[in-house]
Amino acid sequence: MSKSKDKRIKKLGKKRIWLSVMGLVFILFLFFCAIMTVLATSTIDVIQRKLTYSRKQSEKIAQMCAEYEEASFGDIRGTLLTYVDLMPEIEAVSIMGAEGEQKWSSNGSYPDMNRAAELDFLTDMLQLPTRVIIEEDYSRMFEIEDGTIFFSNDILNKIDYQQLMDTENYFTTEESAPVIYFKVWFVMPAKSGNVMVLNQISLYASDLFMMLVSLAVCALLLCVFTLYYMISFISILVNMHRTSRIIYTDLVTGGDNWLHFVKKGTSLLKHNRSNRHRYAMIHLKMRKYRSFCTCFGVREGEELIEKFYRALKKQMRHREIIAHHENAEFGLLLAYTSKEQLVARIEELENILDGVLPSMKLYFGVGVYQIEPGERDVEQLYNNALIACDMLGEEAENKIAFFDVEMNKQKLWERRVEDDMDRALANKEFKVYLQPKISTSEEKLAGAEALVRWIHPTEGFIPPNKFIPIFEQNGFILKLDDYMLEEIAAQQARWIAQGRKIVPISVNVSRAHFTREDLAEHIAAIVDKYNVPHDVIELELTESAFFDDKKVLLSTVKKLHEAGFIVSMDDFGAGYSSLNSLKELHIDVLKIDGDFFRGADVEERGMLIVAEVIDLAKKLNMKIVAEGIENREQVDFLAAQECDLIQGYFFAKPMPIDEFVEKYKEQ
Ligand code: C2E
Ligand code: CA
Ligand code: CA
């Protein structure tokens, strides 16, 4: 898997959770700030209002006190009492001497100056040249400096409200309503300097209540938002889990998928420290799965795959994994101790799989790659196992192939060829070589076969067996054959134009062409571009094409024949020959495969068969070409059998066109 793909998939699995976390933290912070602001502003506001109010009163009283002599306190007493009565905010007013001695109080109570603590308020905000005293004996709460009041957090934190409430003196509960209030003395130095006016005011519960309500609202909102974020946070986690399940689930088996296999496999290989166990990457595939689906249906096929998966999964041991790859293929990462043990294990797995469908004998192909310590690119390792399995072919058999380096080389070569082929065709890197066909009677040039060679810019000369099989698999052979045919038609046209005597030249028509029904028309169209008579072009069809689409082959041969082309059957006798093909196809030339003439033991029997084939072909009115003829004895034997033409190294190897012209210009 490419790195970018890997990244994209990982991204899918991961929601951006940090955004939610940051959101949550931000909201919490906002609420903290909001609460602090509400608390601070409402508290300060209430106190400031009270203080401003009482300061004004106190200032008046202090002014009055200053205006009267000490002796005439009595005269202002009435005024002070009226004040207290009229001002609901004011509890009591006391007058004290400069030394703190109590002189008079409207309700008879005085702050105990020895026990009283001065409260520090936020002076900047309050900006009151007032002294506030709360009676208590354990801590100072306010401090006045230059007529400004300071507030000490430290001290406010230390207030034991419970104790305050318990102590009647400082906290009073009125019966009419659950009203709690602080009684606070405000000290106002009178202008005369030797008198202090003490204002006692209360902070009522209604004010506290407002604070509490705003606090509660804030807390509630905070809870709602926190809850909201918690829920979204949890749902993100749940979604993440679900997404990762989807990403790692195989749609056919419902089990772990390939992505999971790669991820888990990489981690298993990374952490394998065992000296005893090594890992093997296995590619296991059911053979003829497509045929199975054609017979029983795709759904049944998929059900079978699911059953295979479950059966295999059960067999996995600790730290072993399996996943469905594609079609009927599975990847397995198995731990093993020896090659023998591994083979036995795989055979056992094959038996188990075969047992999944008792009514049918199933066959499996297995490719194995024995992983070296340090190797952990799961996709690459699996690819090696796959390459090994590819080498097994498609037969219905249980077979196990172990990967070796040669296999890899072959695969690399295939990839190289596929990468280069289009460019090669465009750049005319494919060259036509001609191999002469010599008449047995006169030993003169009677024809030639066009054979392709690849002159690669970096690899140099490449023989056809190195690329033709690859082209046959990937379909590029269709383009190459057309190219060869066109080159030959053009060449023949040039020779005709030059007034040379020409011989028929054969081109190979790969079996891959026999899927198109208009093949004959297609061939004729190419040749007709050059206005060449059809009988100077011979088409070599391989006998094996007879086993593909017989209908297309028969009709194509018939049409080619009618169009005047020479049609030959190549490689007769190689592989599974069928005399039937001779009966049904109207072939002009039979090319006897070179294999008949090779190998010492089979020589005699081979020759016997060759003689019979020649005889048979003669009776069927066919010309005979013997291929792969390398020595004089073979030539003499073929001449005795009245074989028409000989193609082989004995006379000449395939050669470039110039060389061919040079060699046979006399003939
Ligand atoms: P083929 O069509 O059977 O071609 C004959 C092969 O036998 C040629 O191999 C030729 O060089 C070789 N040969 C000829 N005389 C002798 C001999 O005396 N001894 C031995 N040992 N070999 C001899 P080449 O050129 O390597 O081609 C191999 C195969 O590649 C061809 O077998 C053909 O199947 C395929 N091929 C070559 N060119 C083309 C093409 O243009 N199109 C297609 N479809 N196939 C081609
Ligand atoms: Ca041939
Ligand atoms: Ca041949």
Side-chain angles (χ1 to χ4, degrees):
M1 194 192 319
S2 73
K3 277 211 174 112
S4 64
K5 192 171 146 193
D6 194 29
K7 257 192 198 161
R8 263 182 280 134
I9 289 168
K10 273 191 188 146
K11 242 195 208 163
L12 268 183
K14 279 187 188 146
K15 282 269 155 44
R16 267 186 257 157
I17 205 160
W18 58 269
L19 263 184
S20 307
V21 172
M22 271 181 48
L24 184 63
V25 169
F26 184 64
I27 286 285
L28 282 174
F29 176 71
L30 273 189
F31 273 106
F32 178 74
C33 292
I35 286 174
M36 289 321 279
T37 317
V38 168
L39 260 180
T41 50
S42 57
T43 312
I44 288 163
D45 185 57
V46 166
I47 293 170
Q48 200 168 26
R49 267 192 295 112
K50 301 259 170 190
L51 285 184
T52 312
Y53 181 78
S54 70
R55 184 185 58 127
K56 277 185 187 152
Q57 306 313 320
S58 300
E59 264 171 9
K60 277 187 184 163
I61 295 164
Q63 217 177 335
M64 281 172 12
C65 291
E67 283 163 10
Y68 289 84
E69 279 306 303
E70 208 180 304
S72 36
F73 278 147
D75 301 333
I76 56 166
R77 229 176 269 165
T79 321
L80 292 175
L81 283 172
T82 317
Y83 255 97
V84 175
D85 273 354
L86 285 175
M87 308 301 158
E89 299 285 330
I90 294 177
E91 280 306 296
V93 174
S94 310
I95 295 177
M96 300 182 90
E99 263 78 59
E101 75 275 20
Q102 299 146 3
K103 294 208 163 181
W104 177 83
S105 176
S106 64
N107 65 352
S109 75
Y110 300 91
D112 179 350
M113 293 309 277
N114 295 325
R115 293 173 65 220
E118 291 151 351
L119 293 174
D120 290 351
F121 270 107
L122 283 169
T123 44
D124 283 350
M125 291 190 212
L126 298 172
Q127 287 180 345
L128 290 171
T130 306
R131 203 163 170 200
V132 182
I133 296 171
I134 183 163
E135 280 191 86
E136 45 158 19
D137 44 9
Y138 48 88
S139 69
R140 281 160 54 82
M141 287 183 158
F142 290 82
E143 195 174 335
I144 309 167
E145 230 173 66
D146 301 325
T148 320
I149 304 160
F150 292 101
F151 173 77
S152 142
N153 265 335
D154 174 354
I155 289 163
L156 252 198
N157 288 343
K158 278 193 223 146
I159 297 176
D160 185 347
Y161 291 100
Q162 192 57 45
Q163 193 186 337
L164 279 176
M165 274 159 66
D166 292 344
T167 316
E168 228 183 43
N169 270 352
Y170 312 121
F171 254 99
T172 315
T173 310
E174 284 189 1
E175 270 154 53
S176 52
V179 179
I180 301 165
Y181 58 94
F182 290 96
K183 275 193 177 166
V184 185
W185 289 100
F186 292 92
V187 181
M188 207 54 218
K191 284 220 175 93
S192 62
N194 58 358
V195 170
M196 280 193 293
V197 176
L198 282 112
N199 241 344
Q200 191 190 51
I201 63 162
S202 310
L203 279 174
Y204 282 96
S206 58
D207 306 320
L208 288 171
F209 182 70
M210 279 313 290
M211 287 187 228
L212 286 176
V213 166
S214 40
L215 226 160
V217 170
C218 282
L220 192 76
L221 281 174
L222 180 69
C223 285
V224 168
F225 274 91
T226 311
L227 197 72
Y228 169 78
Y229 267 95
M230 287 311 271
I231 288 172
S232 74
F233 189 72
I234 290 168
S235 90
I236 285 174
L237 287 180
V238 169
N239 269 340
M240 259 168 73
H241 178 74
R242 194 181 298 154
T243 319
S244 86
R245 264 328 300 159
I246 292 170
I247 292 176
Y248 293 122
T249 299
D250 182 67
L251 294 180
V252 178
T253 61
D256 296 334
N257 69 3
W258 192 247
L259 213 64
H260 183 267
F261 184 84
V262 172
K263 193 177 130 195
K264 191 84 201 285
T266 311
S267 135
L268 280 178
L269 293 175
K270 194 170 159 189
H271 298 114
N272 181 33
R273 307 253 180 275
S274 164
N275 295 327
R276 225 166 65 78
H277 286 113
R278 275 181 61 187
Y279 273 112
M281 181 63 78
I282 313 288
H283 162 82
L284 183 150
K285 73 166 182 186
M286 175 194 165
R287 291 178 182 275
K288 309 280 175 207
Y289 175 65
R290 285 276 145 247
S291 316
F292 181 90
C293 290
T294 314
C295 292
F296 301 101
V298 175
R299 173 171 284 185
E300 280 67 17
E302 289 196 344
E303 272 169 18
L304 186 66
I305 298 302
E306 192 188 332
K307 284 180 192 158
F308 281 168
Y309 174 78
R310 281 204 230 111
L312 287 171
K313 180 94 188 165
K314 261 192 212 154
Q315 299 302 316
M316 292 302 105
R317 298 175 187 161
H318 180 55
R319 299 175 77 76
E320 289 185 340
I321 50 169
I322 179 212
H324 175 226
H325 187 232
E326 53 183 38
N327 296 327
E329 299 171 3
F330 293 90
L332 294 91
L333 194 62
L334 300 183
Y336 72 101
T337 45
S338 69
K339 196 169 172 178
E340 294 69 37
Q341 179 257 334
L342 182 61
V343 170
R345 177 99 191 274
I346 293 170
E347 284 169 351
E348 187 191 319
L349 291 178
E350 284 176 337
N351 287 337
I352 287 168
L353 290 185
D354 190 29
V356 165
L357 205 68
S359 56
M360 220 174 163
K361 175 80 191 138
L362 302 176
Y363 295 98
F364 301 91
V366 178
V368 183
Y369 180 73
Q370 293 164 283
I371 300 169
E372 297 293 333
E375 289 183 312
R376 60 179 80 136
D377 182 346
V378 172
E379 299 264 23
Q380 182 57 50
L381 303 174
Y382 182 74
N383 193 50
N384 291 348
L386 210 138
I387 289 171
C389 189
D390 275 357
M391 299 293 163
L392 291 176
E394 281 303 316
E395 298 120 83
E397 267 180 278
N398 276 349
K399 269 192 184 173
I400 302 171
F402 281 76
F403 176 89
D404 74 45
V405 184
E406 280 308 310
M407 293 177 175
N408 205 22
K409 275 195 196 150
Q410 174 60 21
K411 275 286 156 186
L412 286 176
W413 171 250
E414 280 175 21
R415 202 174 308 154
R416 179 84 199 274
V417 165
E418 293 191 338
D419 287 346
D420 291 354
M421 59 194 189
D422 285 303
R423 186 213 59 216
L425 193 68
N427 294 353
K428 291 192 167 260
E429 287 170 26
F430 295 111
K431 299 284 178 218
V432 178
Y433 272 48
L434 294 175
Q435 187 179 28
K437 293 176 191 168
I438 306 294
S439 67
T440 1
S441 48
E442 294 171 87
E443 295 198 2
K444 270 193 169 177
L445 180 74
E449 176 175 7
L451 293 155
V452 68
R453 300 291 180 262
W454 186 350
I455 314 295
H456 194 281
T458 54
E459 300 287 322
F461 180 94
I462 311 176
N465 61 351
K466 286 219 155 186
F467 56 89
I468 294 284
I470 302 171
F471 291 172
E472 277 174 341
Q473 263 186 8
N474 64 26
F476 188 75
I477 194 70
L478 303 178
K479 286 190 191 168
L480 182 69
D481 280 354
D482 286 355
Y483 169 83
M484 291 292 283
L485 177 64
E486 187 152 354
E487 289 288 295
I488 290 303
Q491 186 59 62
Q492 293 284 50
R494 277 196 293 276
W495 281 332
I496 292 171
Q498 289 163 10
R500 285 178 193 268
K501 209 175 141 212
I502 55 167
V503 289
I505 298 182
S506 59
V507 292
N508 291 283
V509 182
S510 162
R511 62 193 281 187
H513 289 275
F514 290 93
T515 46
R516 63 186 292 178
E517 300 200 351
D518 64 342
L519 178 60
E521 291 83 349
H522 175 72
I523 289 173
I526 293 175
V527 174
D528 290 344
K529 270 205 263 180
Y530 299 90
N531 263 330
V532 179
H534 291 176
D535 62 357
V536 299
I537 305 284
E538 181 176 327
L539 301 159
E540 295 193 8
L541 320 180
T542 57
E543 197 198 358
S544 53
F546 194 76
F547 300 99
D548 294 342
D549 193 338
K550 206 164 131 186
K551 215 179 96 212
V552 178
L553 179 69
L554 287 175
S555 79
T556 306
V557 169
K558 191 164 168 264
K559 281 193 254 177
L560 287 173
H561 221 267
E562 283 164 7
F565 290 104
I566 307 170
V567 183
S568 57
M569 185 182 278
D570 202 358
D571 305 334
F572 185 80
Y576 303 96
S577 285
S578 153
L579 290 176
N580 240 0
S581 58
L582 285 189
K583 186 186 84 187
E584 288 181 56
L585 288 169
H586 292 278
I587 297 287
D588 306 290
V589 180
L590 194 69
K591 291 190 80 177
I592 301 176
D593 195 71
D595 268 3
F596 278 113
F597 309 99
R598 270 182 283 278
D601 329 347
V602 292
E603 209 158 278
E604 267 182 30
R605 287 167 66 92
M607 289 306 143
L608 207 70
I609 294 170
V610 169
E612 290 305 315
V613 169
I614 292 173
D615 191 44
L616 178 73
K618 289 249 159 245
K619 285 180 186 150
L620 287 169
N621 228 354
M622 288 175 174
K623 265 192 165 183
I624 320 284
V625 179
E627 277 189 293
I629 304 308
E630 293 180 344
N631 55 50
R632 178 43 76 184
E633 291 82 68
Q634 290 169 338
V635 176
D636 291 343
F637 168 77
L638 289 164
Q641 304 304 318
E642 293 181 31
C643 169
D644 301 285
L645 302 177
I646 288 172
Q647 180 184 347
Y649 291 174
F650 178 73
F651 289 114
K653 287 192 171 182
M655 61 193 89
I657 295 180
D658 299 346
E659 218 174 281
F660 182 83
V661 173
E662 189 58 32
K663 191 164 181 181
Y664 297 102
K665 61 181 173 212
E666 260 83 72
Q667 296 176 34

